[in-house]
Structure formats: C-alpha cells, structure tokens
Amino acid sequence: MPEFSEVFRQQLTVLADKVRTMENLGMSNEGITGVVTEVGDWLAKEAEPRSAEQRLLKEMWQHASNQEQAQIASALIKLADRTVGRGVVK
C-alpha cells in the first residue's frame, strides 16, 4: 500500500465513505464519478491544498480536460477503495 500523508489518507477515507453512501442510494458508477468530478472542480477552485498529494491533484486537475478530470475522479475513487479497503467500488 502506498504511503500517503495523514491528511490525504483522511481525504481518501471520506471519499470512500461518500461513495458507499451514493452506491447505497442506488447511484450508478457514472453518476458517482460525475459527483466526484463536480467536487473536484470546486476543490480546485476554492480549496487550499493541505498536503503534497492535494497540491499535485490540484495542478493535474487545473491542466486536465473535462474527460481527463473524469478519469482522475474515477482513479481517485479506485484509490480510495484500495487504500481504505472497504470494497466500495463494484
């Protein structure tokens, strides 16, 4: 398992919990990715990164196309699932 800062690990835990909630509400994988993409847009514009991982994600997000942002969101969902180990991604 990769070593992440505590701040980023907490962010992944929150993401995994929110994904599980959306799945329990019956949202599709595409719908969940869409929500995570919207949150990513907001974070890239409004939030100040608190870790090196968040700074990197913000830079990547700001330079990515819409399609690439959706791919980043999807990859983050999978990373959260693997890091937290909750089996949220089906």
Side-chain angles (χ1 to χ4, degrees):
M1 178 172 12
E3 292 188 30
F4 296 121
S5 67
E6 185 59 29
V7 169
F8 192 66
R9 185 170 295 284
Q10 289 172 354
Q11 181 181 14
L12 291 174
T13 300
V14 169
L15 177 59
D17 289 343
K18 299 303 179 192
V19 168
R20 174 171 278 149
T21 298
M22 288 184 278
E23 285 183 337
N24 288 339
L25 291 172
M27 287 187 75
S28 67
N29 288 339
E30 294 80 19
I32 294 169
T33 299
V35 169
V36 174
T37 301
E38 289 178 27
V39 172
D41 284 339
W42 181 82
L43 288 171
K45 292 174 188 167
E46 303 294 333
E48 190 62 35
R50 296 182 296 150
S51 68
E53 297 94 343
Q54 289 176 348
R55 267 188 295 287
L56 175 61
L57 279 172
K58 183 173 184 167
E59 286 295 318
M60 289 172 57
W61 197 268
Q62 291 175 330
H63 293 90
S65 68
N66 289 344
Q67 181 181 4
E68 291 167 333
Q69 289 173 348
Q71 292 169 339
I72 293 169
S74 180
L76 278 171
I77 291 167
K78 291 175 186 175
L79 179 62
D81 181 51
R82 289 186 184 115
T83 301
V84 177
R86 298 208 175 147
V88 294
V89 177
K90 294 178 180 174

